[in-house]
Amino acid sequence: MEKPENHATESETLDHKSDESEQKLATETTPESESSSQLSLTQVMEAVDDFIKSLSSSSTDPLKEIPPTVEPFPETVDSLVSKMESSGLGRDETEDSAFILAVNRISKSVMTLRELRLDSTPVSSWLNRASSVQNRAASLLDEEFRHLLDRSRENKKNNNNNKNKNADVSSDSTHESDRCVLQEEEEETFPDFPPESISTLKKIAGAMISAGYEAECCMSYEMSRRHAFKEELSEVGFEGINVEDVQRIPWESLEGEIANWISIVRRCSTVLFPGELSLCTAVFSDDAAIRKRLFTGLVSAVTIRFLDFSGAVVLTKRSSEKLFKFLDMYETLRDLIPAVEQSDSDLIEEIKLAQTRLGEAAVTIFGELENSIKTDQGRTAVPSGAVHPLTRYTMNYLKYACEYKDTLDQVFQTEPEPETKRNQREDDEEYKVSAFGRQMIRVMEHLDANLEIKSRLYRDPALRSIFLMNNGRYILQKIKGSTEIRDLMGQAWTRKRSTELRQYHKSYQRETWGKVLQCMNQEGIQVNGKVSKPVLKERFKVFNTMFDEIHKTQSTWIVSDEQMQSELRVSIAALVIPAYRSFFGRYKQHIDSGRHSDKYVKYQPEDIETYIDDLFDGNPPSMARKRT
């Protein structure tokens, strides 16, 4: 990953600032240098550079003594350490750079002389003095390093306390309208280090590593950042998640813990982990191995706790209501992976494994939905042919599941269909859909088969058709109302459902109104060329009886979909009213000529339309509106 742009300039200008530092040091001398050689500090630094270069390239006799110009250098650096102990780093960038350059030189001198293992008393004496100063300088750097790292945490605490106080004041003054007040969230910055602090941290880290204090530097960094991260997570309740309780607490309570877990992991994915990577990259920009090791150590310690919780949740008893929380956790871990890509690959594999287990649990739960539909053996018919609760539950469940369609498709792709089924369906257009789409179709097949069985609980074939129409219409409307379901199921499947609904409609008309229309047939009414009044009277009586029974019965039936209810009534009226009006107009006069004509001609044509409008309301019938 590239260094953040605002830190790159610090690195690029370091050499320029070292020149400035040496120029500044040229005007400064230490008491030690004045008493020994009257050389400026710049000249001493140049002499040290030449000395180090000569040690690295010398192939002549072993060094017996330190050059006079280099001899006072440990005391010079020691003086600079004392000055920095008083003022501290980070106050003057030029002085900081000068100090770092001096520490780098003495460290390089010490390491080079140690490698040569020279047997000389003057050299050993100088090496001991220089080593002592180097240790003192490294201790100062380590202390300043930790101080700068911890200062950010202290500033954040103070800022949080101020925010809390302001929030309390705001809450007290607006408590009556707090439901309507929305606080605008400021964009969160983590970790909150000013650019100059990051620049100083980078210089210190580079100096400590060059001096051979890599372990101490990394330890200080890691400890400070672990504490900072722990505080961040404590603020959002991460410590309240107890993995041991997961198996014991009720699902309703566990849902709250899962929601908290999801919130925390997402915050790590979007804010905390990227922020830590950015800081680590800036401070240790010159060493990718150190950067990766430190970042991996930090995120691993936190992520493993996340994965322990998800693993415990997966082991809880499976049930249909858990599917969506499992999918939320699956997506959360999936989104976590990009945030830890710069860490060790083993951590990423651990996350993927936990994600796979959640996916397998989701597949199992969805499979249990299929089994619950297949094994639903309810033997009580739903009153009035209404939509069955199983249909409502299944379609609402699927509609909600389709909000996770991309995730479920990813999950089901790891569960290939058996080879035999795949060969049987390879030419079927309905099955040329996504992996989750195939699961949806399979669930719908089970639901259709179950509804067909339940329709046989109705003795009346017409009510059986109404039941299948109600449920079929409900399913179709749910599909049409959800773009996700419609896209998954495909147009061919939707057209097939519409065709089935029309068939149920025709079946209802045939079973209910076929015999009604037969009694208005003109065949058999005339005997020897004349209208037979006994036959005609019987025909009107049969019509009245049949229509009364239909109205009485089917007014209690329910068609909850208003459009389908209207379509049914319109189709019945179009079928029955013209036939009755024709029959009524042709033969009523033959009944009116006799006594008790009302006994046979009970309905006027307009009455028929009125009573048809009573059908499928689910209300007790009322014949009081009959025309008198």
Side-chain angles (χ1 to χ4, degrees):
M1 178 178 290
E2 295 181 358
K3 290 189 297 182
E5 187 175 346
N6 60 326
H7 304 315
T9 56
E10 297 291 342
S11 176
E12 293 168 359
T13 59
L14 187 57
D15 292 337
H16 297 290
K17 288 178 179 175
S18 67
D19 294 339
E20 294 177 10
S21 303
E22 293 181 359
Q23 292 172 7
K24 182 173 182 179
L25 288 172
T27 63
E28 299 179 359
T29 57
T30 64
E32 293 80 0
S33 63
E34 288 178 356
S35 61
S36 60
S37 62
Q38 300 299 319
L39 290 175
S40 70
L41 186 55
T42 300
Q43 291 173 315
V44 175
M45 300 268 279
E46 291 174 351
V48 172
D49 288 339
D50 293 338
F51 174 63
I52 295 172
K53 186 177 180 181
S54 67
L55 290 174
S56 302
S57 60
S58 177
S59 59
T60 59
D61 295 336
L63 182 70
K64 298 296 183 180
E65 60 182 20
I66 302 297
T69 53
V70 178
E71 177 67 28
F73 190 56
E75 287 71 30
T76 301
V77 177
D78 193 56
S79 178
L80 291 175
V81 171
S82 297
K83 183 178 179 181
M84 280 299 171
E85 285 177 339
S86 300
S87 62
L89 274 76
R91 299 180 183 276
D92 187 312
E93 193 169 352
T94 303
E95 290 186 357
D96 291 349
S97 297
F99 176 67
I100 295 297
L101 288 171
V103 173
N104 286 341
R105 281 177 168 88
I106 200 165
S107 297
K108 186 70 177 292
S109 301
V110 168
M111 288 187 289
T112 303
L113 286 173
R114 284 176 177 168
E115 290 174 0
L116 294 176
R117 300 179 181 275
L118 298 174
D119 185 15
S120 168
T121 300
V123 173
S124 298
S125 175
W126 190 92
L127 179 58
N128 289 336
R129 286 158 44 213
S131 297
S132 177
V133 173
Q134 181 195 27
N135 288 334
R136 185 183 175 201
S139 296
L140 173 63
L141 290 173
D142 188 41
E143 183 179 347
E144 289 291 326
F145 194 62
R146 286 185 280 106
H147 176 67
L148 283 172
L149 288 169
D150 294 342
R151 187 187 301 169
S152 172
R153 290 162 48 203
E154 295 171 0
N155 291 340
K156 181 173 177 59
K157 285 183 181 178
N158 294 333
N159 291 337
N160 287 342
N161 290 336
N162 292 334
K163 287 182 180 179
N164 292 335
K165 289 180 181 179
N166 294 335
D168 292 340
V169 172
S170 176
S171 176
D172 292 339
S173 61
T174 62
H175 67 279
E176 293 183 357
S177 59
D178 57 355
R179 290 178 179 267
C180 302
V181 177
L182 295 176
Q183 299 291 336
E184 293 186 4
E185 293 187 3
E186 298 181 0
E187 185 176 351
E188 184 175 6
T189 302
F190 178 87
D192 193 11
F193 284 93
E196 56 272 16
S197 294
I198 294 178
S199 176
T200 304
L201 286 168
K202 177 183 177 182
K203 293 174 184 176
I204 294 175
M208 292 185 69
I209 293 170
S210 297
Y213 291 85
E214 176 184 320
E216 290 80 357
C217 177
C218 292
M219 181 180 296
S220 295
Y221 182 88
E222 189 170 13
M223 288 180 62
S224 179
R225 295 315 303 157
R226 279 179 183 257
H227 287 143
F229 216 91
K230 182 178 180 181
E231 290 170 0
E232 287 288 334
L233 295 179
S234 296
E235 287 182 13
V236 292
F238 181 61
E239 292 180 342
I241 299 177
N242 190 332
V243 174
E244 288 72 20
D245 289 340
V246 169
Q247 301 295 326
R248 298 192 296 267
I249 62 177
W251 173 247
E252 292 75 15
S253 301
L254 184 56
E255 278 188 297
E257 296 290 352
I258 292 175
N260 191 37
W261 180 91
I262 289 171
S263 175
I264 293 169
V265 178
R266 285 178 177 170
R267 186 162 181 261
C268 285
S269 300
T270 57
V271 179
L272 302 186
F273 285 177
E276 282 298 326
L277 179 60
S278 177
L279 177 64
C280 200
T281 301
V283 175
F284 299 96
S285 59
D286 298 329
D287 197 316
I290 293 176
R291 182 169 67 242
K292 183 174 184 179
R293 186 174 72 247
L294 289 173
F295 181 68
T296 298
L298 178 65
V299 299
S300 294
V302 178
T303 302
I304 292 303
R305 294 177 65 189
F306 292 156
L307 301 185
D308 287 343
F309 180 79
S310 70
V313 171
V314 164
L315 294 178
T316 59
K317 184 178 180 180
R318 308 287 166 78
S319 57
S320 57
E321 71 271 13
K322 295 183 180 181
L323 173 66
F324 307 111
K325 285 298 181 184
F326 280 20
L327 292 175
D328 286 336
M329 295 179 73
Y330 181 95
E331 292 176 347
T332 302
L333 289 181
R334 181 185 62 198
D335 297 339
L336 178 63
I337 292 176
V340 299
E341 279 181 338
Q342 298 298 318
S343 66
D344 190 272
S345 59
D346 289 344
L347 177 62
I348 297 176
E349 290 304 314
E350 288 289 333
I351 297 173
K352 289 182 177 179
L353 179 60
Q355 187 184 354
T356 298
R357 289 170 179 165
L358 286 166
E360 291 171 349
V363 169
T364 301
I365 291 174
F366 205 85
E368 290 175 356
L369 172 67
E370 295 183 43
N371 292 332
S372 67
I373 295 172
K374 287 192 293 185
T375 58
D376 188 298
Q377 301 294 331
R379 295 300 180 185
T380 302
V382 176
S384 306
V387 177
H388 199 281
L390 179 64
T391 304
R392 294 184 184 275
Y393 175 81
T394 302
M395 294 309 300
N396 287 324
Y397 193 88
L398 293 179
K399 185 176 184 296
Y400 193 16
C402 281
E403 295 181 12
Y404 298 84
K405 67 174 186 176
D406 292 337
T407 300
L408 281 167
D409 193 51
Q410 184 179 355
V411 164
F412 279 110
Q413 281 177 356
T414 62
E415 299 289 327
E417 200 172 30
E419 187 70 25
T420 53
K421 288 187 176 181
R422 190 161 58 248
N423 291 337
Q424 292 170 0
R425 295 172 171 175
E426 60 183 1
D427 297 326
D428 193 336
E429 289 294 332
E430 291 184 9
Y431 289 90
K432 293 180 180 179
V433 292
S434 66
F436 177 52
R438 290 193 294 272
Q439 297 296 322
M440 286 278 290
I441 292 175
R442 189 171 300 137
V443 170
M444 294 307 305
E445 288 175 345
H446 294 318
L447 180 60
D448 286 343
N450 192 291
L451 291 174
E452 180 63 33
I453 294 172
K454 285 177 168 46
S455 71
R456 298 169 193 164
L457 298 174
Y458 298 98
R459 296 181 181 178
D460 189 334
L463 183 55
R464 185 181 305 153
S465 296
I466 291 294
F467 172 78
L468 292 173
M469 286 179 68
N470 271 322
N471 285 271
R473 180 75 170 197
Y474 183 86
I475 292 170
L476 191 60
Q477 290 301 99
K478 281 290 182 179
I479 292 173
K480 289 182 176 179
S482 171
T483 303
E484 291 82 4
I485 302 181
R486 189 169 64 250
D487 292 343
L488 281 171
M489 304 304 287
Q491 293 184 355
W493 192 91
T494 304
R495 287 194 297 269
K496 179 182 176 183
R497 301 297 305 196
S498 299
T499 300
E500 290 174 352
L501 278 179
R502 288 192 292 269
Q503 291 173 347
Y504 297 145
H505 190 156
K506 292 178 181 178
S507 177
Y508 160 78
Q509 286 185 330
R510 183 174 60 254
E511 294 293 341
T512 299
W513 301 102
K515 294 179 181 179
V516 174
L517 294 176
Q518 286 180 6
C519 74
M520 292 183 287
N521 195 313
Q522 297 182 25
E523 293 183 5
I525 293 179
Q526 291 188 356
V527 178
N528 297 326
K530 294 183 178 181
V531 173
S532 172
K533 288 186 177 182
V535 173
L536 185 60
K537 289 178 181 180
E538 182 62 24
R539 291 288 186 89
F540 270 106
K541 284 176 64 177
V542 169
F543 175 85
N544 295 337
T545 300
M546 294 178 68
F547 190 79
D548 286 348
E549 181 61 27
I550 291 171
H551 180 268
K552 176 183 176 181
T553 302
Q554 298 191 15
S555 293
T556 65
W557 293 0
I558 294 175
V559 175
S560 52
D561 184 271
E562 292 183 0
Q563 182 178 347
M564 190 171 75
Q565 184 188 71
S566 176
E567 290 172 355
L568 273 169
R569 290 170 176 171
V570 169
S571 67
I572 293 168
L575 186 68
V576 176
I577 292 175
Y580 183 74
R581 181 175 282 115
S582 175
F583 186 77
F584 179 88
R586 181 182 294 246
Y587 296 112
K588 180 179 180 296
Q589 58 184 336
H590 298 285
I591 303 297
D592 287 344
S593 60
R595 293 182 302 172
H596 309 297
S597 61
D598 289 346
K599 180 179 178 181
Y600 304 105
V601 184
K602 188 176 182 179
Y603 297 105
Q604 299 294 318
E606 53 269 28
D607 295 332
I608 300 298
E609 184 174 2
T610 300
Y611 291 125
I612 287 175
D613 286 341
D614 289 338
L615 303 181
F616 317 120
D617 265 341
N619 298 318
S622 172
M623 305 298 288
R625 292 183 294 177
K626 184 177 79 68
R627 180 180 176 184
T628 58

